[in-house]
Amino acid sequence: MSVGIVETQRLVVTDTEPLRLVCGAELAHVEVAYETYGVLSPARDNAVLVCHALTGDAHAAGMHAGAAKPGWWDNLIGPGKAVDTDRFFVISTNLLGGCAGTTGPGSTDPATGRAYGLDFPLLDVADLVAVQRRVLDRLGITRLHAAVGGSLGGMQVLQWALEEPERIERAVLVAASARLTPENIALSSVARAAIMEDPDFRGGRYAEHGVSPRHGLKVARMLAHVTYVSDTALRAKFGHRRDSGPGDMRLTADFEVEHYLQHQGTSFLERFDALSYLYLTRPMDYFDPFATVAEREVGTRFRLISFDTDWRFPTAHSLHIRDCLAERGIAVDHTEIASPWGHDSFLLQPPGYHDLVADHLAR
Amino acid sequence: MSVGIVETQRLVVTDTEPLRLVCGAELAHVEVAYETYGVLSPARDNAVLVCHALTGDAHAAGMHAGAAKPGWWDNLIGPGKAVDTDRFFVISTNLLGGCAGTTGPGSTDPATGRAYGLDFPLLDVADLVAVQRRVLDRLGITRLHAAVGGSLGGMQVLQWALEEPERIERAVLVAASARLTPENIALSSVARAAIMEDPDFRGGRYAEHGVSPRHGLKVARMLAHVTYVSDTALRAKFGHRRDSGPGDMRLTADFEVEHYLQHQGTSFLERFDALSYLYLTRPMDYFDPFATVAEREVGTRFRLISFDTDWRFPTAHSLHIRDCLAERGIAVDHTEIASPWGHDSFLLQPPGYHDLVADHLAR
């Protein structure tokens, strides 16, 4: 069952005051793209916030009119699904810094009339959360039944629940991290170098020059994609199959896994912006909420889920979150799910995963 | 102790006949850069061939006059070292397809008077070995006391020992593979895409245009470098140290691990050619000697070494080689060495590693 045809909506969250960011800068105009599914109860106590990962958007469930594919978490959200829209009012917002309707580095700076480019201020995960908080304020939701997110989405949920636990009853973090490893940072750094050192990046003003760092962004995505899947998954899906016959060789794509990566890289160019890629990967590198958010009494009940083949944010990251929460006396459960699909498992449906989400929301 | 000052020498190996490659193409003129250390015994029975990895060269040990750093395997090769030059006559050649003295895609095609570029024929690991064989022929060495190599170097040793075991008494394969995984191929494919899709690649004719795909080659190296080290090593070396203070952020390199990667990428541009990078990564993807080299009686005694933190060619690759050799009734020993340094461990000296090499050469 699907939530059916949906539409992305927009609202301005700086109508009463500018948004002051962690870095000290202020944004005078922030618009947010969001979607909602299900019906808010009269008591306003059934709201579930869904936080998207690096390259997600507000369109988490249902179909846009005329579209070929549903939202990115449609297998999780809908009538009778783990995040049951017969029961919950689900809100999904596009992140600050994104490129799918919410204000980001590609938006027009009202102060200059030009796109921000690299003049857009650097973002902290706390800033992403601050914008979502304003969206909920506008929708009249003071307390969430739950907040749910995978990868960077889970990092937002963690930040929020530590900052303002009285507002989130249940937190679900899937394949998340509270602190990237040097290797994680290194991999993101290569992706950013691919973009920023592309001659067509033009210091971030590529749109004004009618060009785009397509080469760099494609390579960044291909690299990232390898880290989102697992060797197990690639073996199962592609094995060593290739176009060329025995004794034949070529330098360009030949193995099926190469064609797949080429497709991933090229199709990404149609849906994502290079500046947003920079601005949304970087907050992950600096993320360290157990060091930056002061300890306080937290009533939120946490559910952590990780996947055994995830090598981008392996189970050790979830265990670290579990230990840090336990140290603060916060209620937390963690389960490692067996899945061949690596980090991407959070978008898929390996056995047991969705049941854990449903159970936690029902507690 | 070092072998002292050494010089790279060159010889032509196509003086009697052109080199016919696995792909069917012929090279009329192949020149090979090589170095030797130690003295060949009157019986010519103390020769050890050293095979280099992807970005190595003939300069494996000793110092070039005026140089700041010794050869890449100087910790292994020298008087009293694991490959003892008081006892062995060591030969090291730059690979066919390389860019450090041996004929490769950057060399002049005698048929056209221009650089080969992408007209250079595709290479098989068997071709790399065929060139080394000719070098040994010219040096009058019919039988090797041992062949030793790490990573792609180990793959050459494996190819050779399976093809012509009567010529190699002992084989040492360090951090090698007999068959890349789809993930290995995917990572190399991203690196090649970074180079070939760089606008300055100019279809491989960049040198004629006075440019170079520097952006792509740098990204390729940065990416590869992340896969050569381990998270353990990066944690130990850099941790989360960064230039910026608390609350400060930047998109460009800030964490020490980022500066390190930038340095690795930039310095690589001074010493390696983009075309050679393509031509020497690709043979690894197609490498499958247990499928392509017919089974025959092999007298070579194999020693396999892998490292517990190597995630480019993890121990599973060495176990696969061990099992395939054992199935053919070939004598083989394998040891996994504990080392924090990942794939790069084969160039370093984790405890126990060099002793295993020395012991095998002494058997």
mmCIF file of all heavy atoms in Angstrom, chain A residues 333-355:
data_model
loop_
_atom_site.group_PDB
_atom_site.id
_atom_site.type_symbol
_atom_site.label_atom_id
_atom_site.label_comp_id
_atom_site.label_asym_id
_atom_site.label_seq_id
_atom_site.Cartn_x
_atom_site.Cartn_y
_atom_site.Cartn_z
ATOM 1 N N ASP A 333 18.501 0.595 22.675
ATOM 2 C CA ASP A 333 18.645 -0.777 22.190
ATOM 3 C C ASP A 333 19.370 -0.739 20.857
ATOM 4 O O ASP A 333 19.140 0.160 20.051
ATOM 5 C CB ASP A 333 17.269 -1.424 21.958
ATOM 6 C CG ASP A 333 16.537 -1.666 23.255
ATOM 7 O OD1 ASP A 333 17.052 -2.431 24.085
ATOM 8 O OD2 ASP A 333 15.458 -1.054 23.440
ATOM 9 N N HIS A 334 20.213 -1.725 20.638
ATOM 10 C CA HIS A 334 20.902 -1.817 19.349
ATOM 11 C C HIS A 334 20.765 -3.221 18.779
ATOM 12 O O HIS A 334 20.859 -4.210 19.517
ATOM 13 C CB HIS A 334 22.391 -1.491 19.491
ATOM 14 C CG HIS A 334 23.176 -1.917 18.286
ATOM 15 N ND1 HIS A 334 23.966 -3.048 18.260
ATOM 16 C CD2 HIS A 334 23.239 -1.393 17.032
ATOM 17 C CE1 HIS A 334 24.499 -3.194 17.061
ATOM 18 N NE2 HIS A 334 24.077 -2.215 16.294
ATOM 19 N N THR A 335 20.553 -3.302 17.495
ATOM 20 C CA THR A 335 20.540 -4.600 16.810
ATOM 21 C C THR A 335 21.325 -4.499 15.508
ATOM 22 O O THR A 335 21.161 -3.532 14.762
ATOM 23 C CB THR A 335 19.097 -5.045 16.477
ATOM 24 O OG1 THR A 335 18.329 -5.085 17.683
ATOM 25 C CG2 THR A 335 19.089 -6.440 15.833
ATOM 26 N N GLU A 336 22.175 -5.477 15.286
ATOM 27 C CA GLU A 336 22.832 -5.588 13.981
ATOM 28 C C GLU A 336 22.012 -6.544 13.125
ATOM 29 O O GLU A 336 21.733 -7.673 13.535
ATOM 30 C CB GLU A 336 24.260 -6.129 14.124
ATOM 31 C CG GLU A 336 24.966 -6.236 12.778
ATOM 32 C CD GLU A 336 26.363 -6.852 12.875
ATOM 33 O OE1 GLU A 336 26.455 -8.084 13.049
ATOM 34 O OE2 GLU A 336 27.348 -6.107 12.787
ATOM 35 N N ILE A 337 21.637 -6.063 11.959
ATOM 36 C CA ILE A 337 20.825 -6.857 11.035
ATOM 37 C C ILE A 337 21.752 -7.469 9.981
ATOM 38 O O ILE A 337 22.650 -6.786 9.474
ATOM 39 C CB ILE A 337 19.783 -5.942 10.345
ATOM 40 C CG1 ILE A 337 18.754 -5.431 11.367
ATOM 41 C CG2 ILE A 337 19.109 -6.648 9.181
ATOM 42 C CD1 ILE A 337 17.649 -6.396 11.696
ATOM 43 N N ALA A 338 21.515 -8.726 9.645
ATOM 44 C CA ALA A 338 22.269 -9.363 8.558
ATOM 45 C C ALA A 338 21.676 -8.926 7.228
ATOM 46 O O ALA A 338 20.466 -9.034 7.015
ATOM 47 C CB ALA A 338 22.201 -10.880 8.685
ATOM 48 N N SER A 339 22.530 -8.365 6.395
ATOM 49 C CA SER A 339 22.060 -7.881 5.090
ATOM 50 C C SER A 339 23.233 -7.879 4.137
ATOM 51 O O SER A 339 24.328 -7.455 4.500
ATOM 52 C CB SER A 339 21.512 -6.457 5.220
ATOM 53 O OG SER A 339 21.421 -5.857 3.938
ATOM 54 N N PRO A 340 23.060 -8.326 2.925
ATOM 55 C CA PRO A 340 24.200 -8.299 1.991
ATOM 56 C C PRO A 340 24.461 -6.916 1.407
ATOM 57 O O PRO A 340 25.475 -6.717 0.750
ATOM 58 C CB PRO A 340 23.770 -9.276 0.890
ATOM 59 C CG PRO A 340 22.280 -9.254 0.908
ATOM 60 C CD PRO A 340 21.872 -8.958 2.322
ATOM 61 N N TRP A 341 23.592 -5.941 1.642
ATOM 62 C CA TRP A 341 23.604 -4.737 0.814
ATOM 63 C C TRP A 341 24.421 -3.558 1.327
ATOM 64 O O TRP A 341 24.295 -2.444 0.828
ATOM 65 C CB TRP A 341 22.160 -4.288 0.530
ATOM 66 C CG TRP A 341 21.365 -5.422 -0.036
ATOM 67 C CD1 TRP A 341 20.354 -6.113 0.581
ATOM 68 C CD2 TRP A 341 21.549 -6.057 -1.326
ATOM 69 N NE1 TRP A 341 19.907 -7.128 -0.239
ATOM 70 C CE2 TRP A 341 20.613 -7.113 -1.403
ATOM 71 C CE3 TRP A 341 22.417 -5.832 -2.402
ATOM 72 C CZ2 TRP A 341 20.530 -7.942 -2.527
ATOM 73 C CZ3 TRP A 341 22.333 -6.658 -3.513
ATOM 74 C CH2 TRP A 341 21.402 -7.695 -3.570
ATOM 75 N N GLY A 342 25.234 -3.792 2.349
ATOM 76 C CA GLY A 342 26.105 -2.712 2.814
ATOM 77 C C GLY A 342 25.344 -1.545 3.410
ATOM 78 O O GLY A 342 24.241 -1.696 3.950
ATOM 79 N N HIS A 343 25.942 -0.348 3.322
ATOM 80 C CA HIS A 343 25.351 0.855 3.897
ATOM 81 C C HIS A 343 23.966 1.139 3.304
ATOM 82 O O HIS A 343 23.066 1.606 4.001
ATOM 83 C CB HIS A 343 26.295 2.032 3.643
ATOM 84 C CG HIS A 343 25.920 3.293 4.363
ATOM 85 N ND1 HIS A 343 25.857 3.371 5.733
ATOM 86 C CD2 HIS A 343 25.586 4.532 3.905
ATOM 87 C CE1 HIS A 343 25.504 4.605 6.095
ATOM 88 N NE2 HIS A 343 25.333 5.319 5.004
ATOM 89 N N ASP A 344 23.810 0.853 2.031
ATOM 90 C CA ASP A 344 22.527 1.082 1.356
ATOM 91 C C ASP A 344 21.372 0.288 1.954
ATOM 92 O O ASP A 344 20.204 0.558 1.626
ATOM 93 C CB ASP A 344 22.644 0.702 -0.131
ATOM 94 C CG ASP A 344 22.899 1.923 -1.004
ATOM 95 O OD1 ASP A 344 22.918 3.049 -0.471
ATOM 96 O OD2 ASP A 344 23.077 1.742 -2.225
ATOM 97 N N SER A 345 21.677 -0.677 2.817
ATOM 98 C CA SER A 345 20.623 -1.505 3.424
ATOM 99 C C SER A 345 19.544 -0.668 4.094
ATOM 100 O O SER A 345 18.389 -1.085 4.163
ATOM 101 C CB SER A 345 21.223 -2.456 4.465
ATOM 102 O OG SER A 345 22.175 -3.302 3.880
ATOM 103 N N PHE A 346 19.910 0.524 4.572
ATOM 104 C CA PHE A 346 18.908 1.326 5.290
ATOM 105 C C PHE A 346 17.772 1.755 4.364
ATOM 106 O O PHE A 346 16.685 2.092 4.831
ATOM 107 C CB PHE A 346 19.549 2.518 6.010
ATOM 108 C CG PHE A 346 19.826 3.742 5.170
ATOM 109 C CD1 PHE A 346 18.866 4.750 5.037
ATOM 110 C CD2 PHE A 346 21.046 3.908 4.532
ATOM 111 C CE1 PHE A 346 19.125 5.895 4.281
ATOM 112 C CE2 PHE A 346 21.308 5.041 3.775
ATOM 113 C CZ PHE A 346 20.350 6.037 3.633
ATOM 114 N N LEU A 347 18.017 1.729 3.056
ATOM 115 C CA LEU A 347 16.982 2.079 2.076
ATOM 116 C C LEU A 347 16.240 0.847 1.574
ATOM 117 O O LEU A 347 15.270 0.969 0.821
ATOM 118 C CB LEU A 347 17.615 2.801 0.883
ATOM 119 C CG LEU A 347 18.241 4.156 1.208
ATOM 120 C CD1 LEU A 347 19.094 4.649 0.057
ATOM 121 C CD2 LEU A 347 17.135 5.169 1.543
ATOM 122 N N LEU A 348 16.710 -0.328 1.966
ATOM 123 C CA LEU A 348 16.141 -1.582 1.462
ATOM 124 C C LEU A 348 15.401 -2.290 2.604
ATOM 125 O O LEU A 348 15.090 -1.659 3.608
ATOM 126 C CB LEU A 348 17.267 -2.435 0.867
ATOM 127 C CG LEU A 348 18.035 -1.701 -0.262
ATOM 128 C CD1 LEU A 348 19.300 -2.433 -0.643
ATOM 129 C CD2 LEU A 348 17.124 -1.501 -1.480
ATOM 130 N N GLN A 349 15.126 -3.567 2.411
ATOM 131 C CA GLN A 349 14.273 -4.226 3.395
ATOM 132 C C GLN A 349 14.811 -5.587 3.814
ATOM 133 O O GLN A 349 14.107 -6.586 3.711
ATOM 134 C CB GLN A 349 12.860 -4.370 2.790
ATOM 135 C CG GLN A 349 11.774 -4.300 3.825
ATOM 136 C CD GLN A 349 10.399 -4.134 3.192
ATOM 137 O OE1 GLN A 349 10.263 -3.709 2.048
ATOM 138 N NE2 GLN A 349 9.376 -4.461 3.950
ATOM 139 N N PRO A 350 16.056 -5.625 4.339
ATOM 140 C CA PRO A 350 16.559 -6.922 4.798
ATOM 141 C C PRO A 350 15.692 -7.438 5.952
ATOM 142 O O PRO A 350 15.163 -6.630 6.732
ATOM 143 C CB PRO A 350 17.987 -6.603 5.260
ATOM 144 C CG PRO A 350 17.999 -5.148 5.524
ATOM 145 C CD PRO A 350 16.999 -4.534 4.597
ATOM 146 N N PRO A 351 15.535 -8.755 6.060
ATOM 147 C CA PRO A 351 14.645 -9.350 7.065
ATOM 148 C C PRO A 351 14.931 -8.830 8.475
ATOM 149 O O PRO A 351 16.077 -8.803 8.903
ATOM 150 C CB PRO A 351 14.959 -10.853 6.963
ATOM 151 C CG PRO A 351 15.481 -11.057 5.577
ATOM 152 C CD PRO A 351 16.200 -9.779 5.222
ATOM 153 N N GLY A 352 13.872 -8.450 9.154
ATOM 154 C CA GLY A 352 13.987 -8.032 10.546
ATOM 155 C C GLY A 352 14.085 -6.528 10.740
ATOM 156 O O GLY A 352 13.698 -6.001 11.790
ATOM 157 N N TYR A 353 14.582 -5.837 9.730
ATOM 158 C CA TYR A 353 14.856 -4.400 9.865
ATOM 159 C C TYR A 353 13.572 -3.582 10.094
ATOM 160 O O TYR A 353 13.434 -2.880 11.119
ATOM 161 C CB TYR A 353 15.636 -3.945 8.632
ATOM 162 C CG TYR A 353 15.689 -2.473 8.318
ATOM 163 C CD1 TYR A 353 15.715 -1.506 9.318
ATOM 164 C CD2 TYR A 353 15.755 -2.050 6.990
ATOM 165 C CE1 TYR A 353 15.779 -0.147 8.988
ATOM 166 C CE2 TYR A 353 15.832 -0.705 6.663
ATOM 167 C CZ TYR A 353 15.826 0.246 7.662
ATOM 168 O OH TYR A 353 15.891 1.578 7.341
ATOM 169 N N HIS A 354 12.617 -3.688 9.207
ATOM 170 C CA HIS A 354 11.414 -2.859 9.323
ATOM 171 C C HIS A 354 10.587 -3.212 10.572
ATOM 172 O O HIS A 354 9.961 -2.330 11.172
ATOM 173 C CB HIS A 354 10.573 -2.966 8.052
ATOM 174 C CG HIS A 354 11.143 -2.175 6.912
ATOM 175 N ND1 HIS A 354 10.455 -1.909 5.767
ATOM 176 C CD2 HIS A 354 12.343 -1.576 6.771
ATOM 177 C CE1 HIS A 354 11.210 -1.189 4.947
ATOM 178 N NE2 HIS A 354 12.364 -0.984 5.527
ATOM 179 N N ASP A 355 10.635 -4.486 10.970
ATOM 180 C CA ASP A 355 9.932 -4.890 12.193
ATOM 181 C C ASP A 355 10.495 -4.147 13.403
ATOM 182 O O ASP A 355 9.750 -3.749 14.298
ATOM 183 C CB ASP A 355 10.075 -6.402 12.417
ATOM 184 C CG ASP A 355 9.266 -7.191 11.399
ATOM 185 O OD1 ASP A 355 8.383 -6.596 10.745
ATOM 186 O OD2 ASP A 355 9.530 -8.403 11.246
#
